[in-house]
Amino acid sequence: MKTILLISGIIILHSFSGCSDHLPVKITINTGEFKRFQTVISVDLDSISNINDNKLVLYLKDGSERIPVPIQIVKTKRRRMYWQLPDEVSAGTQLIYELVNKRDLKKGKSQSVFNSDGAFILKKSHRNVLRYNASTLMPPPGEDEAFRRSGFVHPLFAPNGAVLTEIQPKDHIHHYGIWNPWAKTTFQAEEVDFWNLKKRQGTVQHARVLNTRQGDVFAQMEFLHNHVAWPESTRQTVAMAERHIIRSFNMDKDIFMVEFEFHLTPRDKITLEEYRYGGFVFRGTARWTNQTSDFITSEGLNRDQADGQRARWCIVSGETPQGRAGILFMGNPANYNHPEPLRVWPSDGNGGRGDVFINFSPTRNTSWELKPGNTYVLSYRLIVFNGQMESETAAAYWNDYANPVTIKAGRR
């Protein structure tokens, strides 16, 4: 029996008939026409074998040698096994893996999640990747309490340890590192602004933890957010529920790879109106200005050209006390209105400082009506790096993200 599935951007071709305890299983992967960078692979493990997780070892065949590969098995209704390709596998390459029954490898957790004082920290080995803030952060003394907020990421760290995000800057108290509000919506026939908190029309709140996972391939945090309309009135209403997922992957190079998924489920019809702000947002460290940072998009546009223009990806980098660092932002091809228009502050923005502000805004040039009973997903991948990244490298990472490999799995 052959079954073709598309899961997390990966095409998986199973060639087997039912679950079995017979091993080894041969898994063949073709990279296709694009270079690959530790691409994450997953297969339905229950369709291959019913052997206990602790007895399974995956090997990459290299001629007569077999190289052990870290795996991570996630159990929900069925077991799914995850692993990563080697770094920088050339286009047109075929890789052969074998899943065997053995006990000779210790299984660690190089990607982990720590719960600390109302926050969740993603770690790659001993290094912090980012901090998700579940607790409500109050505004600085003297500022309106309407500016309080939960459910955002700060700090996002570079591999060198530098902090790359900013929260509650004096010029925009409602900016919170990496967050995802919508500025102009129509809900129950009224305007609701979930972005400009001082209006008191709406806000986004962390509601609860759904799950966390950790292992040798990735760590994941999943939360419930509520997009609350009229939060300080007797009419307070949850306009949208949001499943908010953040993942960090175990990359060999001195980089962090992080993914964000926003699963929006409206409680009643809501229209995300055409407007220049709304969606996935990044406010960069105050150290990054027009004098200390650079920006470019997939279309070769700088920050003075990019505002309102579509982009598959963009790079921002700049100076930090620990050395230069930066981020490659990539929008998923499945996102609404992809390639999404950007809201980017120009080099003379914010009183001439040119602070870094980047917003993938799918409603920049069109409205988006969300209907109850449906769930709408927006996904993004970040490559966080030390030093500088060239456009050619960014394009290669993008092709790996946007174009899945093919996998054929079956018993030998």
Side-chain angles (χ1 to χ4, degrees):
M1 179 181 70
K2 292 188 179 181
T3 304
I4 298 177
L5 303 173
L6 179 60
I7 299 175
S8 300
I10 297 170
I11 297 175
I12 304 172
L13 174 61
H14 299 291
S15 298
F16 40 77
S17 54
C19 157
S20 170
D21 58 1
H22 296 298
L23 292 177
V25 168
K26 178 182 177 182
I27 303 172
T28 305
I29 296 174
N30 292 294
T31 60
E33 59 181 304
F34 300 106
K35 181 187 288 188
R36 304 295 173 177
F37 299 87
Q38 284 190 259
T39 303
V40 178
I41 307 298
S42 73
V43 297
D44 182 346
L45 184 57
D46 286 334
S47 298
I48 299 174
S49 175
N50 57 17
I51 288 179
N52 186 281
D53 299 354
N54 293 328
K55 298 180 181 180
L56 295 174
V57 176
L58 185 67
Y59 289 101
L60 172 62
K61 295 193 70 175
D62 184 7
S64 60
E65 293 186 45
R66 294 197 306 173
I67 303 168
V69 176
I71 60 174
Q72 183 170 340
I73 298 171
V74 174
K75 301 176 185 178
T76 52
K77 292 182 179 179
R78 298 179 65 83
R79 296 180 302 164
R80 180 160 290 278
M81 182 176 72
Y82 294 80
W83 74 97
Q84 289 171 279
L85 300 186
D87 192 30
E88 295 196 30
V89 182
S90 300
T93 300
Q94 184 179 87
L95 300 172
I96 306 296
Y97 290 85
E98 282 188 343
L99 183 65
V100 303
N101 183 356
K102 213 167 184 179
R103 289 175 174 268
D104 62 353
L105 290 181
K106 293 183 179 179
K107 301 181 186 298
K109 290 183 174 62
S110 62
Q111 298 296 118
S112 54
V113 180
F114 286 83
N115 188 347
S116 173
D117 296 328
F120 293 81
I121 301 169
L122 282 180
K123 285 181 172 285
K124 176 183 177 181
S125 298
H126 63 283
R127 289 185 293 178
N128 292 340
V129 176
L130 60 80
R131 173 186 171 112
Y132 168 87
N133 297 272
S135 297
T136 299
L137 180 65
M138 298 302 292
E143 296 290 349
D144 194 321
E145 288 194 0
F147 287 121
R148 62 187 179 275
R149 174 67 203 253
S150 62
F152 60 92
V153 168
H154 174 78
L156 171 69
F157 296 94
N160 64 16
V163 173
L164 303 183
T165 47
E166 190 78 18
I167 60 170
Q168 297 182 338
K170 291 182 179 180
D171 50 85
H172 291 78
I173 301 296
H174 59 285
H175 285 188
Y176 279 92
I178 294 176
W179 77 117
N180 62 315
W182 299 92
K184 187 176 182 181
T185 76
T186 300
F187 177 69
Q188 296 184 352
E190 293 188 39
E191 177 186 321
V192 180
D193 185 341
F194 297 94
W195 182 300
N196 295 290
L197 300 176
K198 195 170 184 178
K199 289 184 179 180
R200 290 179 162 81
Q201 291 180 356
T203 188
V204 182
Q205 299 172 346
H206 168 89
R208 61 188 173 93
V209 180
L210 298 177
N211 70 62
T212 61
R213 303 185 191 279
Q214 52 191 359
D216 274 339
V217 178
F218 68 93
Q220 174 177 299
M221 310 181 293
E222 185 173 345
F223 309 101
L224 176 66
H225 285 185
N226 287 330
H227 295 244
V228 182
W230 314 296
E232 297 182 20
S233 75
T234 56
R235 300 174 60 205
Q236 178 174 312
T237 303
V238 175
M240 288 191 295
E242 174 198 322
R243 194 157 60 96
H244 189 99
I245 302 171
I246 308 171
R247 299 186 191 92
S248 174
F249 296 91
N250 184 26
M251 307 300 284
D252 287 341
K253 283 187 174 179
D254 203 15
I255 63 172
F256 297 152
M257 185 168 81
V258 181
E259 289 185 345
F260 290 84
E261 287 184 14
F262 312 119
H263 297 245
L264 301 171
T265 304
R267 299 291 176 84
D268 200 349
K269 185 179 78 171
I270 184 170
T271 301
L272 310 181
E273 303 287 357
E274 179 180 343
Y275 193 64
R276 67 184 183 275
Y277 289 104
F280 180 64
V281 195
F282 169 81
R283 177 64 191 262
T285 170
R287 295 181 179 275
W288 285 358
T289 68
N290 53 19
Q291 300 299 310
T292 59
S293 64
D294 295 305
F295 175 89
I296 193 167
T297 75
S298 54
E299 313 311 304
L301 305 179
N302 63 34
R303 72 177 70 187
D304 291 324
Q305 302 165 327
D307 185 49
Q309 302 302 308
R310 295 179 181 272
R312 292 162 291 157
W313 53 261
C314 63
I315 308 170
V316 62
S317 63
E319 301 302 327
T320 77
Q322 293 89 339
R324 194 170 187 87
I327 309 165
L328 165 64
F329 296 89
M330 296 179 281
N332 194 289
N335 288 354
Y336 178 75
N337 201 22
H338 176 84
E340 295 161 70
L342 297 176
R343 173 62 176 136
V344 179
W345 281 357
S347 60
D348 61 353
N350 212 24
R353 278 179 48 87
D355 291 274
V356 172
F357 177 95
I358 301 168
N359 175 197
F360 277 83
S361 181
T363 54
R364 176 70 190 255
N365 58 5
T366 187
S367 297
W368 188 13
E369 184 179 283
L370 310 186
K371 297 180 180 179
N374 297 313
T375 296
Y376 304 83
V377 182
L378 294 170
S379 303
Y380 304 89
R381 177 179 286 182
L382 278 57
I383 304 294
V384 190
F385 56 88
N386 295 334
Q388 194 88 13
M389 179 180 287
E390 299 301 323
S391 293
E392 293 77 8
T393 303
Y397 275 115
W398 158 257
N399 284 326
D400 183 33
Y401 181 44
N403 300 279
V405 301
T406 58
I407 308 170
K408 184 177 180 180
R411 288 187 294 277
R412 293 176 62 87

